[in-house]
Amino acid sequence: MEKFNLAKIFSVFLIIIFPNIVNTAEQTDPIKVNWSFKGLTGKFDRASLQRGFQVYKEVCSSCHSMQYLSYRNLGEPGGPEFSLEEVKAIAASVEIEDGPDSQGEMFTRPGRPSDKFKSPYPNVNASIAANGGAYPPDMSVLVKARPGGSNYIYSVLVGYEEPPAGMQLDDGVYYNKYMIGNKIKMSAPLLDGIVEYSDGTEASVDQMAKDVTTFLSWAAEPELEERHRTGIKVIIYLILLTVLVYLSMKKIWSRIDSEI
Amino acid sequence: MSGHEEYKPKSKAGKWLNDRLPLLTLGAHLTDYPTPKNLNYWWTFGGILTFCLLTQIITGIVLAMHYVAHADLAFASVEHIMRDVNYGWLIRYIHSNGASMFFLAVYIHIFRSLFYGSYKSPREVIWIIGLMIYLLMMAAAFMGYVLPWGQMSFWGATVITNLFSAIPLVGDSITTWLWGAYSVDNPTLTRFFSLHYLIPFLILGLVVLHIWALHVPGNNNPVGIDIKKPSKDTVPFHPYITIKDAFALLLFMIVFAGFVFFTPNVLGHSDNYIPANPLVTPAHIVPEWYLLPFYAILRSVPDKLGGVILMFGAIFILFVLPWLDTSKVRSAVFRPIYRQFYWIFVIDVLMLGYVGAMPAEGIYLVLARVGTIYYFLHFIVVMPLVGLFEKTEPIPMSISEPVLGGGAELSLAKKDNGKI
């Protein structure tokens, strides 16, 4: 039976390390942040989501699209939960191309809550051309598309440093401690005070990085709060049912013998 | 199947139907089906697997209502499901994690069979149908992983379909035929979607045959001996086995729900949330976890054709396992030498899975090669030889005796008692 235990230990070991072994590259491990939305009952910090949206709108959105989100999502439960008026105002602040009209002409009109987020460039090629050959990735599911998730995005935002001595960087390439390969074509996007928060929070780089990462995490998983809530209920229900079925099983099998 | 009295419907309508289509007789057979009473929890995975298949089919049908199989629209349609379809996120996460849970259960089911010798005579056909199901599951899972049209979808499809180009002479033509184009492209996606929808129903048909073939000899059991049916060694399937399967299924569902609700993406690869881009190759192309041991075998051979042959050989060798195993004793409980090789084999497969996730270089490549060689040695050398030379432990005459005898008064058969 010794071998059996060995196999058990080995398999448990494998399962524990498995999520981390698939992605290994030369980079510093991301900073671990104690996000409010992690854990079984995790929820987004509403104020942080609203501030994060402001950072996205005023900083990120000049290059990064977010094509799978609609303005109405900003008012839905589990998100930034802006009021209907605020959502309408946010949507109306952009001009959306629509049409063709009855004359066959395209026209522009103010955005509506049902519109998708307006992309900064008409297509991917335009975004690459405008950004020195680097594609600014769409941010809708960016947090899920990176191995470290929220921690990684936050780390890259605060990870700009002077390159180590002897490292040559081309024009338009910047050193980032946490980026895969340590080279990034986006200049440091956040500078102290680059946005002005209406709730009086100090707009430090660290604060903005946390806020916008929270916002991006919600954008990638808008169902997160509902998922956590439903999950708790489902598992409690399953456990209760399991206990009942276990007791029934004991009772039924007691007709045969006590061993089962 | 035989030996117990014919079922007679009580109602007139029941008799009318049953004379024309004996569905009620079938129902009575399924509920009365005499099952060994000493089945342990490793035997509950058959029921769990049925649940997994039905879950995948039901969630899959709903997903197909909203998914768009087109290279330009597939990724966006998956996001549409996640964001705009009512409970779309739940249905999709059940489906994507369901695939992993399905494989987890099938691996336990297969390794249970390997431990207790369930593949041996007279159950070879059950085993072979099971392996056909397993092969179709791998095809379905692979094609399903392509459908979201993320980076890992695209490059996984490219790597796997390229394997066929290793076939001499006609390889390139076959690959082009599979793609429906000169690379993985929209025609590849649409045919994969079509086949992904078809295969589960083929599996369902094979599951019916699998259960039918099972009901001819009846279940194997942990002691591995033939038992009289029905007898004091058996219990009717309902309610004894149904309630036990239900209990095990609920425990399984708790684990399942844990993944779906709290870490829905941990078993997937983050690159698959990047839309497919034929111009950018991911740093490491890795298949889903359940295919990793075979991926390790594939990459352990320096020659492409050789790697493909060994990878498929690793699966097809299982088909002849009933004839490679020479032991007359089924259950490893009474096979002290095989029991140890069994656990070494389990560790070998886990190790292959581990190195399959790592880059194919340095120590990982060495481990992959050692693991691959041992994998085949286990079937070609260990199984035949251990069966011939192993001195097995005494085998009980019936299930009831070791269970009820309390240890001291076990009446045991002679050692090596020929046909069990």
Side-chain angles (χ1 to χ4, degrees):
Chain A
M1 283 295 105
E2 197 188 309
K3 291 223 162 49
F4 175 70
N5 288 331
L6 195 72
K8 249 167 94 177
I9 290 162
F10 188 71
S11 56
V12 169
F13 172 69
L14 260 186
I15 290 161
I16 290 167
I17 62 169
F18 193 75
N20 307 322
I21 62 173
V22 186
N23 306 293
T24 45
E26 332 85 44
Q27 83 203 85
T28 315
D29 281 341
I31 305 162
K32 286 198 168 57
V33 181
N34 190 20
W35 302 105
S36 69
F37 49 87
K38 296 291 171 196
L40 300 187
T41 55
K43 281 187 173 130
F44 293 110
D45 174 347
R46 220 59 68 197
S48 180
L49 278 179
Q50 297 201 354
R51 291 194 300 267
F53 171 69
Q54 189 186 346
V55 176
Y56 167 74
K57 193 179 155 207
E58 293 178 16
V59 183
C60 318
S61 73
S62 56
C63 298
H64 290 273
S65 61
M66 223 171 193
Q67 55 178 324
Y68 300 123
L69 274 85
S70 306
Y71 293 108
R72 63 180 162 80
N73 296 141
L74 294 168
E76 286 168 0
E81 297 185 2
F82 286 109
S83 67
L84 183 59
E85 282 65 40
E86 287 169 314
V87 172
K88 279 183 176 161
I90 290 166
S93 70
V94 294
E95 288 290 305
I96 301 278
E97 189 182 45
D98 203 347
D101 61 14
S102 56
Q103 305 301 312
E105 304 292 330
M106 300 302 282
F107 60 93
T108 59
R109 56 161 176 81
R112 293 193 283 254
S114 59
D115 285 320
K116 297 273 190 215
F117 277 25
K118 189 184 178 184
S119 297
Y121 302 102
N123 52 56
V124 171
N125 286 2
S127 73
I128 294 172
N131 285 282
Y135 167 57
D138 184 84
M139 283 182 155
S140 312
V141 283
L142 193 63
V143 168
K144 288 201 280 191
R146 295 294 180 274
S150 312
N151 286 338
Y152 174 77
I153 301 291
Y154 166 78
S155 300
V156 167
L157 287 173
V158 300
Y160 285 87
E161 283 180 3
E162 286 301 311
M167 189 173 185
Q168 286 294 328
L169 290 175
D170 295 337
D171 247 14
V173 177
Y174 305 87
Y175 180 83
N176 191 302
K177 200 172 151 193
Y178 300 100
M179 184 77 183
I180 298 165
N182 294 141
K183 286 179 188 169
I184 186 166
K185 285 201 165 181
M186 172 175 74
S187 62
L190 301 176
L191 304 165
D192 283 329
I194 195 169
V195 301
E196 196 178 326
Y197 285 140
S198 57
D199 64 0
T201 308
E202 196 200 328
S204 64
V205 168
D206 185 70
Q207 183 63 43
M208 288 185 289
K210 281 197 172 114
D211 290 342
V212 79
T213 303
T214 303
F215 175 71
L216 293 178
S217 304
W218 164 77
E221 300 191 289
E223 85 297 343
L224 179 137
E225 291 190 10
E226 187 186 12
R227 177 157 57 75
H228 285 176
R229 253 195 334 268
T230 316
I232 301 270
K233 285 183 207 156
V234 166
I235 286 183
I236 289 172
Y237 174 83
L238 284 174
I239 288 173
L240 290 177
L241 188 59
T242 306
V243 170
L244 290 178
V245 169
Y246 177 77
L247 294 173
S248 314
M249 178 179 75
K250 278 289 174 201
K251 178 135 178 139
I252 289 170
W253 276 81
S254 68
R255 298 178 208 157
I256 304 286
D257 56 46
S258 52
E259 295 288 314
I260 156 170
Chain B
M1 293 292 277
S2 56
H4 50 106
E5 65 269 31
E6 199 68 20
Y7 170 77
K8 294 237 170 37
K10 285 187 191 81
S11 71
K12 222 174 165 182
K15 189 174 181 311
W16 181 88
L17 173 67
N18 211 45
D19 286 345
R20 284 151 184 82
L21 180 70
L23 274 183
L24 298 175
T25 305
L26 177 67
H29 163 73
L30 292 175
T31 46
D32 297 345
Y33 172 64
T35 315
K37 69 175 183 186
N38 64 334
L39 296 188
N40 55 36
Y41 282 101
W42 301 115
W43 259 266
T44 58
F45 282 86
I48 287 170
L49 283 161
T50 314
F51 165 80
C52 287
L53 177 63
L54 295 178
T55 305
Q56 292 304 88
I57 289 179
I58 293 165
T59 52
I61 288 171
V62 177
L63 288 173
M65 294 173 188
H66 304 281
Y67 170 77
V68 181
H70 188 286
D72 296 336
L73 304 171
F75 191 91
S77 76
V78 172
E79 280 308 310
H80 162 71
I81 290 169
M82 294 298 288
R83 291 163 193 277
D84 300 330
V85 174
N86 288 333
Y87 290 100
W89 59 268
L90 178 59
I91 296 163
R92 172 163 179 259
Y93 278 154
I94 290 175
H95 197 74
S96 59
N97 286 284
S100 282
M101 301 316 287
F102 204 159
F103 275 94
L104 175 68
V106 90
Y107 281 125
I108 294 172
H109 194 62
I110 292 171
F111 276 98
R112 188 270 291 153
S113 179
L114 289 176
F115 188 84
Y116 294 108
S118 302
Y119 52 87
K120 290 157 78 93
S121 171
R123 296 185 181 83
E124 301 95 322
V125 173
I126 311 173
W127 170 253
I128 287 168
I129 294 171
L131 288 173
M132 290 161 71
I133 294 172
Y134 174 52
L135 272 178
L136 285 178
M137 276 175 63
M138 289 199 282
F142 160 66
M143 292 184 197
Y145 196 57
V146 174
L147 301 185
W149 212 241
Q151 272 291 66
M152 215 40 85
S153 299
F154 181 88
W155 290 98
T158 302
V159 169
I160 300 298
T161 49
N162 257 314
L163 295 179
F164 292 91
S165 70
I167 301 168
L169 300 175
V170 293
D172 285 333
S173 311
I174 289 181
T175 312
T176 308
W177 177 71
L178 287 174
W179 287 336
Y182 292 101
S183 65
V184 174
D185 208 336
N186 194 50
T188 325
L189 176 60
T190 50
R191 67 190 53 196
F192 277 19
F193 178 54
S194 174
L195 294 173
H196 183 72
Y197 206 112
L198 166 71
I199 291 174
F201 297 97
L202 300 181
I203 293 177
L204 190 61
L206 285 175
V207 166
V208 172
L209 294 183
H210 193 62
I211 296 171
W212 185 4
L214 169 71
H215 280 233
V216 177
N219 288 72
N220 184 29
N221 63 77
V223 186
I225 57 172
D226 288 329
I227 49 171
K228 268 215 212 110
K229 291 170 286 246
S231 71
K232 61 175 180 165
D233 282 349
T234 66
V235 291
F237 192 80
H238 184 74
Y240 295 97
I241 304 298
T242 41
I243 188 81
K244 196 168 161 181
D245 278 359
F247 172 63
L249 175 61
L250 282 164
L251 291 177
F252 183 81
M253 285 169 76
I254 291 172
V255 176
F256 195 156
F259 277 108
V260 168
F261 291 104
F262 299 109
T263 57
N265 292 304
V266 74
L267 297 169
H269 195 294
S270 51
D271 274 12
N272 228 26
Y273 280 106
I274 303 172
N277 184 348
L279 303 176
V280 179
T281 318
H284 300 292
I285 303 175
V286 282
E288 291 274 76
W289 68 268
Y290 38 81
L291 302 175
L292 287 172
F294 300 107
Y295 194 55
I297 292 174
L298 171 76
R299 296 191 305 175
S300 70
V301 187
D303 175 64
K304 189 176 177 184
L305 179 60
V308 173
I309 290 172
L310 278 201
M311 183 181 74
F312 283 105
I315 299 164
F316 284 106
I317 199 165
L318 294 167
F319 281 85
V320 291
L321 176 63
W323 297 276
L324 290 172
D325 182 356
T326 53
S327 176
K328 293 196 169 75
V329 175
R330 284 198 195 100
S331 174
V333 171
F334 305 106
R335 300 184 60 190
I337 309 295
Y338 171 71
R339 199 160 61 216
Q340 297 186 28
F341 279 111
Y342 173 85
W343 288 113
I344 294 172
F345 179 70
V346 171
I347 291 167
D348 185 57
V349 172
L350 289 174
M351 184 192 77
L352 280 172
Y354 174 77
V355 298
M358 306 306 284
E361 58 197 28
I363 181 70
Y364 300 121
L365 192 56
V366 177
L367 285 175
R369 289 185 175 154
V370 172
T372 301
I373 292 168
Y374 186 78
Y375 183 95
F376 286 98
L377 281 182
H378 177 82
F379 291 110
I380 296 169
V381 179
V382 172
M383 294 295 277
L385 291 187
V386 169
L388 289 178
F389 296 112
E390 182 180 40
K391 199 163 159 36
T392 53
E393 286 160 8
I395 289 160
M397 297 283 275
S398 79
I399 292 170
S400 310
E401 285 171 15
V403 175
L404 297 176
E409 295 168 73
L410 293 183
S411 83
L412 297 168
K414 283 185 303 208
K415 289 185 178 185
D416 303 319
N417 57 347
K419 184 90 182 146
I420 329 150

